[in-house]
Amino acid sequence: MYNKKRLAKTAIALLTSILFIQAVPAHADSVHVAKEGDTFFTLSKQYGVDMNTLIKTNKDISPYNIYGGLKITIPGNENKVEAAPVQAKSQEKTVTAASLDVNTDNKVVQAWGKTFDYSKMLSVKATAYSADASENGGWGPVDYFGNPLELGTIAVDPKVIPFGTKVLVTGHTHPGLPKQAFVATALDAGSAIKGNRIDIFIPGSKQFVSSFGFQDIELYILK
């Protein structure tokens, strides 16, 4: 009888421990090893965490320079948002991203819910390049001024687009670039980039970037 009571008490204790463990949510952060094409926006949807919290947690990582193999901290469950609101926000952002409104009379262009004043529109032929040494004249992953290459860097003919000019790039297609439009700065040059040509830096392998090919795009020279 004593053994039976002892076994019963042990079983109850174990069951209580299991229920207690299941009732305690896991709040530990996790690490995501980035793959090419990842962005904070796609990761926020994948893990169901608030995008602003994700960016703040990884404040040392530029949102414009996420590349394959980069380790990104995913905040724990306490920062997760409900599935329904995440879906609603994602749909709202998609609708906003899909629209690019241009007012040629006032020289205003709207993209991603933001309004940009521009001085002129320029149609150019675009290519893309990676940080591979073979595409950077052996100088390594730096621009014309020695700054690290990052998403938002473009190579230009400075006679057509002066260095330091900010532009809104539109009409492109590539998984390594923000959809529809993004702001870039003329910080690089290349021997083959002459006239109405630009070369867009995309983080990732040479093979991944080469799929960009040649594309006809439109630039809005921002004021």
Side-chain angles (χ1 to χ4, degrees), residues 40 55 58-66 70-73:
F40 280 133
I55 293 173
N58 298 275
K59 58 184 179 180
D60 294 331
I61 297 176
S62 168
Y64 304 107
N65 194 26
I66 296 177
L70 182 67
K71 293 182 179 180
I72 300 173
T73 301

Side-chain angles (χ1 to χ4, degrees), residues 37-52 54-55 63 66 72 85-97 112 178-179:
D38 278 348
T39 66
F40 280 133
F41 177 58
T42 59
L43 291 177
S44 71
K45 291 195 300 179
Q46 179 180 340
Y47 290 98
V49 299
D50 179 71
M51 186 172 69
N52 290 328
L54 184 61
I55 293 173
I66 296 177
I72 300 173
V86 169
Q87 185 178 10
K89 288 181 180 178
S90 299
Q91 291 175 347
E92 182 180 345
K93 285 182 180 294
T94 301
V95 172
T96 303
W112 296 101
K179 294 181 179 179

Side-chain angles (χ1 to χ4, degrees), residues 24-30 47-50 53-54 57 73-82:
V24 177
H27 294 300
D29 293 349
S30 59
Y47 290 98
V49 299
D50 179 71
T53 302
L54 184 61
T57 303
T73 301
I74 306 299
N77 288 354
E78 70 272 16
N79 294 309
K80 286 193 175 182
V81 294
E82 296 297 325

